Amino acid sequence: MAAAATTPGQRADMVRNRRLLLDAAAAAFAEHGLEASMGEIAQRAGLAKGTVFRHFPTKEDLLAAITLRLLDQLAGAAGRLLEADDAAAALREFMTNGVEALAADRAFCEVIGRPSLQHSEVRDAIAELCVTVEALTARAREQGAIRGDITGTDIVLLLGGIHQTAAPLLATQPEAWRRYLELTLDGLRTATPSTLPHRPPLRPELTDSALT
């Protein structure tokens, strides 16, 4: 027997439930790491446990969905910026938005990101993101705004590198990543480097996790 077609109202409910589950899962993983249970996530979302499994049959699928949401956000931003006249400004905006998103979601960076890399859909989405960012990067190369040997994959990898460099300071200086973004942008450019923002203290307070 063919499955019954969903109504517009049912589809809207499905989209809403999925969003609630992803938000609840991100919060639960931030507090309890990967030990957070599907039941706790359902409770946080205000939904039945069965609803979680209808959307995400396994915890791995849920982790991947959280990562895919971020990757979709980055890919959408890169695609829109391809239309900008100033390719250097577009690349800068993309990198700023990307690192800012990572810095704002410590649960993703510390808990969710790495295990989700084992999921085939996540790996495919990263590859697609690199292709889109390569187009963005190529425009900056063609305009002479960055070094000729910089690739889109370099840019995607640098987003995480910038965040990880600033991670020991983020608890007390949440904007510290901007300093390391400027350092990175200066390394990409062929023109005069800019002034670095957010000078860190000489003796920053480092968390134990930042040193391991």
Side-chain angles (χ1 to χ4, degrees), residues 29-44:
F29 290 134
E31 288 186 24
H32 305 296
L34 297 181
E35 298 305 312
S37 70
M38 300 293 256
E40 178 185 350
I41 291 167
Q43 185 175 22
R44 281 176 178 262

Side-chain angles (χ1 to χ4, degrees), residues 64 67-68 71-72 75 116-132:
T67 303
L68 288 168
L71 292 172
D72 285 346
S116 72
L117 291 175
Q118 306 307 313
H119 200 284
S120 61
E121 288 186 40
V122 171
R123 298 174 73 88
D124 289 345
I126 292 173
E128 291 175 11
L129 174 63
C130 288
V131 170
T132 304

